[in-house]
Each structure stands twice: as C-alpha cells, then as structure tokens.
Amino acid sequence: MKRICIIGSTGSIGRTTLQVTKWLSGMFKVVGLACNRNWMIMAEQVIEYAPEVVAIRDKEASEKLVKLVGEDFKLMTGDEGIMEVATLPDVDLVVIAVVGSAGLRPTIEAIKAGKTVALANKESLVMAGDIIMELAEERGVRILPVDSEHSAIFQCLEGRDIGELDKIVLTASGGPFLNLSKNEIEKATLENALNHPQWRMGKKVSIDSATLFNKGLEVIEAHHLFGIPYEKIDVVIHPQSIVHSLIKLVDSSYIAQLAPSDMAIPIQYALTYPQRYESRSADYEMYEFNNLEFIKPDTEKFPCLEIAIEAGKQGGLCPTVVSVADEVAVNAFIEDKLGFRYIPIVLEKAIENIECGRITDILDIFEKEEETRNFVTSLIKGGLK
Amino acid sequence: MKRICIIGSTGSIGRTTLQVTKWLSGMFKVVGLACNRNWMIMAEQVIEYAPEVVAIRDKEASEKLVKLVGEDFKLMTGDEGIMEVATLPDVDLVVIAVVGSAGLRPTIEAIKAGKTVALANKESLVMAGDIIMELAEERGVRILPVDSEHSAIFQCLEGRDIGELDKIVLTASGGPFLNLSKNEIEKATLENALNHPQWRMGKKVSIDSATLFNKGLEVIEAHHLFGIPYEKIDVVIHPQSIVHSLIKLVDSSYIAQLAPSDMAIPIQYALTYPQRYESRSADYEMYEFNNLEFIKPDTEKFPCLEIAIEAGKQGGLCPTVVSVADEVAVNAFIEDKLGFRYIPIVLEKAIENIECGRITDILDIFEKEEETRNFVTSLIKGGLK
C-alpha cells in the first residue's frame, strides 16, 4: 500500500487525485491532506478518506473544520502545517496540487525529505526549476509529472535512450481564440476567455490557455523536468486535445501519447508509476478520435507564448518575473481592470523594468515575486503608464 | 560493423535496404545478396555493394549476371544457393525481403543458423507463425519487423511491460476504394485498384490493400510476432498513413508511432536496432500532418479483412489456404481473368473446400500451398463453378 499526502487536496487536481485513490481501493492510504482554507471541501475529504494529518493554512478555517467534523486527526495550521504534511515520515508519495508560488516550498521540502513527488504545480519548476531538479538528483528523488502534456512526454520517453531523441513537441489546444483574428482576440471579454473548448479548468489556467502563456510555462517546465534544451522543445496547436504531446526521434519518427481529455489518467499514472492500472475514465476507441489537426502556433496572435519561452531561456529570476506578472495581469483581467490585449504588454513591461538576476537562494524568488507583484499592480493601477 | 545478407535484394524492400546501408556508411558490410532472377538489378548491386556471396535462383539469369560483371564473388544458384546466403557464417543480420511463400524456408534456415532476422516477408509468419516463433525462441533469435505497421507496434511496445497492454491497433490506409460504395467497389478495374493513395507498392500488395486482405494478413503476423491473442488486435482505417499503428494501454492511453510514408524509416530501425540513427528520409514537422482521420473498417464493403482474420483464428493450415487462394485470385484479377468482386468469393470457396488441418511439418505448408493453388486455378478457370 502506497502512503500518500496531497498538498492542495481541495482544488481540482487534489479532488481528482482522491477520486483515483478511491477507484484503486486498497492500493493507497491517504495519510495527510493540506489546503489553504477551503474547510467545507476538506470536511468532506476528512470524512471520506480519514487522513491521519490535516493542515489548513488559514487558522480560522481550521477551527470551522473542527467544529464540523471533530478532531479525529492531527490538525495543523499555517505554512508550518503545510510543510509538515509535505514531509511526514512513512509517506511514499507527495502530490503537490497547489496552484501558484505557494507550491514551491512544499515541493522543495518534500524532496529534501526524500519523498517521491507527483508534481502538478507549474510554478515550482517555472520559478525554481534548476534548484528543484538539482535537489531531486542529489536526494535521488523522482519527480513525476501530473500535467497531461508532461505525463505524455514522460510516457513516450519511458524506456528510451535519450540519445534517440531529436526533440519534444508539446501540444496546445489553442484555446478559445484559435480561429479569431488578432483584432477580435484583443477585444476578448472574460466570458469569451473562459470558454475553453476542451478542458474545464480554473479561471487563471483558462485565461493562460487563451493567451497560450500557459504553454510557454509548460515549455519551461519540460526544459527542467526532462533536462532538454529550449531549442529542442516545440509547441504545436492541436485543437482536439487528444494527442497530449509527442517526442520526435532522430530518424524522423514521432512517438505520441493519446487519451481522452481527462486528468484522472495522468494523475493515476503518476500515482501508480512504474505500474499502470486500468482506469475508470471514459474509454475511447481510435475511430472516435477524428480529424486530428496540428497547426503551427501564430506568435503574432499569441505573443505571450514567446514571451514566456524567452523568459525561460533568460533563466534566473526571469521566469519568476514573467509568471508573477502574468498572475497579476490575469487577475486584473478577471476583475475587469485590464483589457485582454494588455496582458502581453504587462509582461513585457515587467521584464523590461525589473532586474532578473541569478537565483542564489530560494528567498530571492519570493522577494522577486513581491517586487513584481507590486510593480505590476501599480502599473495596472496607473493605467499602464 | 554489422555484417548483413539480403534475401530478395532486387525487390522494393531489398533495394531500400541497400540504400539505407549506403546512407549509414561504415556501419554495415553487405556480405551476401540473393534474388530470384533479376540479374540486371543484381548486376548494379554487385558493382555498388561488392558482396562476397551472390545467389540467383534462376541458373540462366546467373549466367547473364556473370557475363555482365564477372565473378568477383562466390556465385550460387537454386534454392540451395538462397539457403546458403541465408545462413552464411559471420553474418549478424539476415533481411528477408522476398515476397510470397518463397520467404518461408530462408526465414527458417536463418533462424536455425542463429541469425537475427529482419522480416519483411508476410507469408513466413502468416503460414508458419507458430513454427517460426517457437524456433526463434528456442534459438534465442530476435525477429525484427520491417513492415511499417509492425515496426510501429514494436517501437511502441519497446521498454514496456506486456501487462500494461490492453490491445494493439493496426492502422490501414483503407486503400483506393475507401470512399466508394459496395457497388462501385465490385466493379473496380485493375487501374482503379493500383491507384493507392499513400504508398507506391507492387501490384499484389496494392490490390491486397484495396481489398483490405493485406491488413488481415498483418493481423495474423502481429498475433505471432507479439504473441497477442486475436481479440486484442484491432484494425482502424487511417487514410493519411501517418500513424503507422498504436498500442492501447490498460488505462485508456494510446501510444502511437507516426512518420512519413517512407519504408526507409522502419527498414533502418530494423537494421540499426537497438540503436536508432538519423534518417535521410524526408523530415516532417507535426503541423505538416493534418486532419488525421480514424475510421472503423466497413466489413460489408471489405469482406476480405475478416476472412483473413478468421483464417488466422482457425490456425493450422487455414492461413496458408487463404493466403495462397488470395495470391492466385489477385493474379487472375491482374490478368483480367477475374472480377474484383470475386476475390472474396474465391477465398471463401477455398476455405470451404480445402481441409485445413494442423501443421506437423513445414512440408505440410508447401503441400497445402500446391493443393490450394490447383484448386483455385481450376475454380477460376471453371468460372467459379
């Protein structure tokens, strides 16, 4: 029985992870759950999965949880509580399902504690890829991708000599604006941007899909996760989201992983790796996958893709700056304080104006995060002047 | 340096194999070449590749060869000559590129001699799959597929535990008649049938593609080559011939191999396996592969597919009967002695009328071959009465 903890159990990935452990009953013991403050969902999870340890970052929320379900588990709060769940002894696998830079510390602590990490948090690798991968190598810890694209690459590379690889090709759905003109895209409303054709996701990720910024971050993640130079990572638009990514081999062959658009599949593979088990996901026959298209991304229409990749190539604190700038800009767009067309402009201004030095310590990242957040917030407040 | 022999060097696969050895110069020494009687092409090959041993089955043709290029090599004729090239000492890899049941003996002899076999001959596995795979296991010999579909499956399975496999899915282009009605197909002319949309191939194979009989034989081959039961082998029509085949894993994921329609790629992989090298084939980017379709095969329109698979399931001499019946029927169609619509009828009559027992010895196959050839020839002569 694999003993697992989930950091960010009340979010979309966290909930699907628990669902998968239920399907594969008897294979997993959910030892610890951690979340920010969603005590309502945590209460349900506590009842259903009976974890030994629960951490809720928000103290007030933790009190509400206890009032509702009692305290038949070890309860902790604050960042320390989260870190404790990420490093519990006798735990084999820690799933990092937190969104945003909050995922950084638990990822690092779990690796330091020698846990296998199933990583669904983008920011960890985007902001601190070098540190994390170095640490993982040092501790002999495996980082298993949860993202459908990275899981696909991981599955295609499995058992292959890296010398066979020509490049990796990440697929992108292209988002809801794929077939709009540049002019139409620039006028996009929140409702338009949230209308993703393939995946149901959180608002932030949906908007990052609409700008393709998301795919730029995935390129940075792939670079770190697989140790592949940026020149060997391509992006191709594949609106049907069936081919989750491909690798190209030196003899011009491609190996692809295809599956229905269901996060339960890559999550399950990360949980059961190196084994693979039957899934309760919808089953598909090949003839149900039809008219699979592959299109070169239009960087004129979607400038955020290249902005993100360029930040990745610059390295150091650059990905942090661009990632945080995007977070602030997207939130402003969601709150109707920024037009869609200004998102790439905000990113560029952040990169231009904020110094992106090297990372000497993890604290540099959090400092740069705050600096960027302040800069971009006042930039937007000031009407981008 | 890998020392190789090619049985059937003057055919399409044989010529491409030699081309690949030239591209990868320094990696291969072409030790022996064998063909049936095409002394003109053999002469060119002798000059270019300087083999140590040459076998031409036809004695007269061998004399013409010597007249043209001298005899700076060991020359042999007859079936014994072919077998000698298939079993030469100090040879690592024997490519069996012969078409028809003539491939059977050299395949068996090469395996007996402990050679790794790159197998492009369909009939070997169709007619004698059990014998060949048993022999290969006994001698610890690897059989490497050359066919693009089987190479794709082989590449997708590579490094994977067989327990992960749900089924394999062979792709079929669907041939030139994919979008015709049953009525239109039945009236097809030779010219129509040879007009294959994706591959340039010999006449026999082109017509077998038009009836989908070819894909039925490939199902039988896959069954033997990968040791997978028939219930776990599917066929899907994929008119673009870019996805060369797929495997489906137990968690509803598919792994696919994609490549341009160029036999040089799977041939090269068989030659260089377990390594993979750059190919001189046309290079493709994913966005050049467009609108990939996957369609359920229409067994009403293409009855030969199921007839072949059914024969495979029956086993024993059944695949021999159906395969030889098809060969005779297709040749009659090529010679305008049989209408296209009668091909499946001939196959069914052969199966009905010829006893398909077990194979106790390889000679049983040759006897059944002759019996079938005689039966079908007179059947066609007699106007299918």
Side-chain angles (χ1 to χ4, degrees), chain B residues 65-289:
Chain B
L65 174 73
V66 170
K67 224 177 240 171
L68 195 65
V69 297
E71 203 178 333
D72 194 16
F73 46 80
K74 181 173 174 192
L75 178 69
M76 284 170 308
T77 59
D79 280 335
E80 319 81 66
I82 307 287
M83 296 319 141
E84 191 158 336
V85 174
T87 57
L88 283 175
D90 298 329
V91 161
D92 307 299
L93 179 76
V94 177
V95 182
I96 310 281
V98 182
V99 176
S101 64
L104 207 48
R105 268 181 199 278
T107 302
I108 289 174
E109 294 306 319
I111 294 170
K112 279 189 183 163
K115 311 296 181 193
T116 301
V117 170
L119 189 59
N121 174 263
K122 267 189 177 22
E123 285 73 7
S124 299
L125 288 176
V126 168
M127 295 180 171
D130 288 329
I131 293 176
I132 285 175
M133 295 313 293
E134 210 171 289
L135 198 60
E137 191 168 340
E138 202 182 292
R139 305 289 161 118
V141 159
R142 243 194 191 290
I143 298 181
L144 302 168
V146 166
D147 225 7
S148 62
E149 291 82 354
H150 300 95
S151 179
I153 299 289
F154 183 71
Q155 293 178 49
C156 292
L157 285 173
E158 188 71 358
R160 248 169 250 287
D161 188 302
I162 199 78
E164 286 185 60
L165 187 73
D166 176 38
K167 64 181 177 188
I168 65 180
V169 184
L170 293 172
T171 54
S173 72
F177 301 152
L178 178 61
N179 297 313
L180 299 189
S181 70
K182 189 171 166 65
N183 201 24
E184 288 168 316
I185 293 171
E186 290 184 341
K187 290 178 196 144
T189 65
L190 179 60
E191 198 190 351
N192 303 150
L194 293 180
N195 186 25
H196 195 278
Q198 298 298 339
W199 299 92
R200 290 289 139 250
M201 304 176 293
K203 282 184 187 175
K204 164 72 164 56
V205 182
S206 293
I207 288 156
D208 283 343
S209 289
T211 62
L212 294 194
F213 183 76
N214 197 41
K215 206 52 55 175
L217 295 186
E218 287 177 10
V219 168
I220 302 175
E221 284 183 270
H223 162 76
H224 291 294
L225 201 49
F226 304 113
I228 291 171
Y230 284 103
E231 312 82 72
K232 293 195 165 202
I233 308 177
D234 267 7
V235 171
V236 69
I237 305 295
H238 168 52
Q240 294 75 27
S241 296
I242 293 302
V243 175
H244 291 304
S245 279
L246 313 93
I247 61 173
K248 188 177 188 184
L249 303 174
V250 289
D251 66 353
S252 303
S253 289
Y254 289 85
I255 303 289
Q257 190 253 1
L258 298 80
S261 302
D262 182 347
M263 282 306 294
I265 296 174
I267 289 172
Q268 177 172 309
Y269 190 60
L271 292 183
T272 66
Y273 179 86
Q275 263 83 50
R276 191 188 294 266
Y277 292 91
E278 268 181 55
S279 161
R280 296 239 192 134
S281 299
D283 193 29
Y284 275 69
E285 294 302 324
M286 274 311 296
Y287 51 78
E288 296 177 59
F289 294 153

Side-chain angles (χ1 to χ4, degrees), chain A residues 155 160 164 167 248-249 251 253-258 276-277 283-285 290-294, chain B residues 155 160 164 167 248-249 251 253-254 256-258 276-277 283-285 290-294:
Chain A
Q155 293 178 49
R160 249 168 248 287
E164 285 186 60
K167 64 181 178 188
K248 188 178 189 185
L249 304 174
D251 66 353
S253 288
Y254 289 83
I255 302 289
Q257 189 253 1
L258 297 80
R276 191 188 294 266
Y277 292 91
D283 193 29
Y284 276 69
E285 294 302 324
N290 235 323
N291 282 317
L292 302 187
E293 299 169 277
F294 300 93
Chain B
Q155 293 178 49
R160 248 169 250 287
E164 286 185 60
K167 64 181 177 188
K248 188 177 188 184
L249 303 174
D251 66 353
S253 289
Y254 289 85
Q257 190 253 1
L258 298 80
R276 191 188 294 266
Y277 292 91
D283 193 29
Y284 275 69
E285 294 302 324
N290 235 323
N291 281 317
L292 303 186
E293 298 170 276
F294 300 93

Side-chain angles (χ1 to χ4, degrees), chain A residues 14-32:
Chain A
R15 293 197 310 267
T16 309
T17 303
L18 284 168
Q19 184 66 53
V20 170
T21 67
K22 201 162 76 180
W23 288 346
L24 297 169
S25 78
M27 286 186 53
F28 298 97
K29 166 66 190 146
V30 178
V31 180

Side-chain angles (χ1 to χ4, degrees), chain A residues 287-307:
Chain A
Y287 51 78
E288 296 178 60
F289 294 152
N290 235 323
N291 282 317
L292 302 187
E293 299 169 277
F294 300 93
I295 305 159
K296 200 171 178 168
D298 184 336
T299 50
E300 276 277 310
K301 276 160 67 174
F302 302 103
C304 291
L305 174 62
E306 293 236 310
I307 293 171

